[in-house]
Amino acid sequence: SVFDGVLDLNTTMVSLGAQWDKLMELRSRLLIMHGVPAHKARPPGKGVQPPAAASFPPPAMMKAWQTAQFAEGSSPDGDFKSKLQFAVTKRAKRTLTKGELIYTHTPDESSKPALYTATVHGTSEGLLKQPYSSSEPVSGKRAAEHAAAKVALEAEFGFVFDGKVPATPAPPAEAGKDPRTRLTNGAHLLLGRPLAKGEVVYATRPAEPSEGKGFVCTSSIPAHDPS
């Protein structure tokens, strides 16, 4: 996006200018669709007239396109990736370089079409206290990235979405230290790749009389040790 390009100092001015021109042309089209005269909707410095209104897609087609965009998490209120980029940049008091916030994807191969979960990592010290993953599989990698960014915003920056107050983040020294997170991170390093859903298996059973009251849970990583 233009916003990401402005914050990313690795983006060239030529590339950023091209993105800006596309954004202005899109805004010109939207203004014309809403009844603004073409000469007022034309981007400044552009000598070419915007296309005639008859060349625009039918309203039903535009509505379907907008619905698909919102489902992908790209609406202004749902652009959690840009919000996270801005929040991390503000806290770090510097502009992030490309690759300092990275997103990895895990497909849910049991679903057709495929659904995805995503995890956001800070590759430089102090950007994020720990990796954050989307809570459930969603349609499309981009939507999964927005979901992971939303979790990070709620946990580290106190954002409130959908009227839900986020849980109080753990102190920095304890972030990512819970056993389940440590096991997941260890399995990630052990296998040398992002984990697919279900690769860390948990089996819970009632405790035997000799084991006391409650339940006993065992964990395994079949991809590493099938036994």
Side-chain angles (χ1 to χ4, degrees):
S1 68
V2 174
F3 180 84
D4 291 333
V6 171
L7 292 180
D8 185 357
L9 298 184
N10 291 323
T11 302
T12 66
M13 294 300 291
V14 173
S15 176
L16 187 59
Q19 294 179 40
W20 179 259
D21 288 342
K22 290 181 180 179
L23 178 62
M24 289 296 97
E25 290 174 5
L26 176 60
R27 189 171 189 273
S28 174
R29 289 172 174 265
L30 292 174
L31 288 172
I32 292 176
M33 291 179 65
H34 285 81
V36 177
H39 70 281
K40 291 184 178 180
R42 185 187 311 126
K46 293 289 184 179
V48 179
Q49 288 283 349
S55 66
F56 292 117
M61 185 181 296
M62 287 297 297
K63 181 65 176 179
W65 177 83
Q66 290 173 342
T67 301
Q69 293 298 304
F70 289 138
E72 285 290 307
S74 59
S75 67
D77 292 334
D79 189 1
F80 300 113
K81 289 180 63 178
S82 292
K83 290 178 180 178
L84 179 62
Q85 180 94 3
F86 180 79
V88 172
T89 296
K90 184 176 180 180
R91 184 169 68 181
K93 297 181 179 179
R94 64 177 177 83
T95 302
L96 303 187
T97 58
K98 187 175 183 180
E100 285 197 285
L101 282 182
I102 61 172
Y103 293 84
T104 56
H105 313 94
T106 302
D108 180 4
E109 298 179 352
S110 63
S111 60
K112 299 294 181 181
L115 301 178
Y116 296 88
T117 56
T119 301
V120 57
H121 310 257
T123 59
S124 299
E125 185 177 358
L127 295 185
L128 292 176
K129 297 173 184 177
Q130 66 180 68
Y132 293 96
S133 299
S134 49
S135 57
E136 59 185 17
V138 295
S139 176
K141 293 181 179 180
R142 185 171 62 174
E145 292 175 357
H146 282 297
K150 178 182 178 182
V151 173
L153 285 166
E154 291 174 333
E156 297 215 2
F157 298 95
F159 276 66
V160 179
F161 301 108
D162 304 323
K164 298 178 181 178
V165 179
T168 302
E174 296 298 321
K177 298 299 184 181
D178 63 280
R180 186 159 183 163
T181 299
R182 293 173 63 185
L183 176 59
T184 300
N185 292 340
H188 175 88
L189 295 173
L190 191 64
L191 298 177
R193 56 173 173 77
L195 300 183
K197 183 179 180 181
E199 285 202 287
V200 178
V201 179
Y202 294 90
T204 304
R205 61 173 175 80
E208 299 290 341
S210 60
E211 297 171 324
K213 297 180 179 181
F215 296 85
V216 175
C217 181
T218 58
S219 60
S220 61
I221 309 172
H224 173 67
D225 184 1
S227 63

